[in-house]
Amino acid sequence: MTTLILTVAGSDRPGLVAAVADVVDAHGGNWENSQLAEIAGVFAGVIQVSIAPQQETALIGALRTLDGLLTIAVHTGADAATIAERPITLQVLGNDRPGIVREVSAVLRGHDLSIQDMLTETRDAAMAGGRLFEATVSAMVPDSTDLSALRADLERLTSELQVDITLD
């Protein structure tokens, strides 16, 4: 089987997931994993599909028929890396301001962490006024990473950005 990664985006409306699922199913594909969301009126997501190699070209062509409904890019999935890694979760909470994601991701990149999943949200701070920023980041840490150095860099960020960062 061939693994394809579909990135999809378009104006949100009913039936978008069904339209993609119908095309995948019609070509014998298997919808394996996905992360889909509506944000500010735009539906977007990433979908992992497995398909027989001889059906790949036909599926990609059929997905093009959804142009106008969704913009779809197709990528060939890669084999999983064999580097020894372990998962961590990072929680960030504080007053919203520009640069939080840039600063946190720079620290993670500096320690060779690979972000697997990141959810961010801003919302009104009920008691204090203003906006709160909250993020949950799941990452893979190579066994060779110095966790105490990572913690020290994250602690430095907590004071610079005036946010709370919790590393699990």
Side-chain angles (χ1 to χ4, degrees):
M1 296 298 274
T2 297
T3 298
L4 299 177
I5 305 300
L6 315 178
T7 57
V8 301
S11 297
D12 190 35
R13 68 184 121 206
L16 295 178
V17 172
V20 176
D22 287 346
V23 172
V24 169
D25 185 63
H27 290 82
N30 183 36
W31 183 305
E32 293 187 9
N33 297 296
S34 62
Q35 291 188 359
L36 309 167
E38 179 275 328
I39 299 174
V42 175
F43 174 79
V46 180
I47 306 163
Q48 178 184 349
V49 172
S50 62
I51 189 154
Q54 63 272 21
Q55 290 290 13
E56 180 180 348
T57 302
L59 172 61
I60 292 170
L63 289 168
R64 302 283 178 245
T65 66
L66 298 177
D67 284 347
L69 186 65
L70 285 168
T71 301
I72 302 176
V74 180
H75 309 273
T76 303
D79 292 333
T82 57
I83 298 170
E85 298 177 311
R86 61 186 175 272
I88 64 163
T89 301
L90 193 72
Q91 301 283 331
V92 181
L93 179 64
N95 290 325
D96 186 33
R97 71 171 198 67
I100 296 174
V101 171
R102 178 180 47 82
E103 294 290 336
V104 171
S105 63
V107 167
L108 298 180
R109 176 185 61 216
H111 290 275
D112 293 326
L113 275 68
S114 177
I115 295 174
Q116 301 296 301
D117 188 51
M118 182 170 77
L119 300 171
T120 65
E121 176 185 30
T122 58
R123 62 180 185 275
D124 289 331
M127 300 302 282
R131 303 279 293 163
L132 284 178
F133 174 84
E134 185 172 4
T136 302
V137 180
S138 299
M140 295 303 290
V141 181
D143 283 345
S144 61
T145 298
D146 180 351
L147 285 179
S148 61
L150 172 62
R151 286 183 195 281
D153 285 347
L154 291 171
E155 286 174 10
R156 177 188 50 79
L157 271 186
T158 62
S159 62
E160 288 177 14
L161 298 177
Q162 297 182 354
V163 297
D164 292 325
I165 299 177
T166 307
L167 178 62
D168 296 329

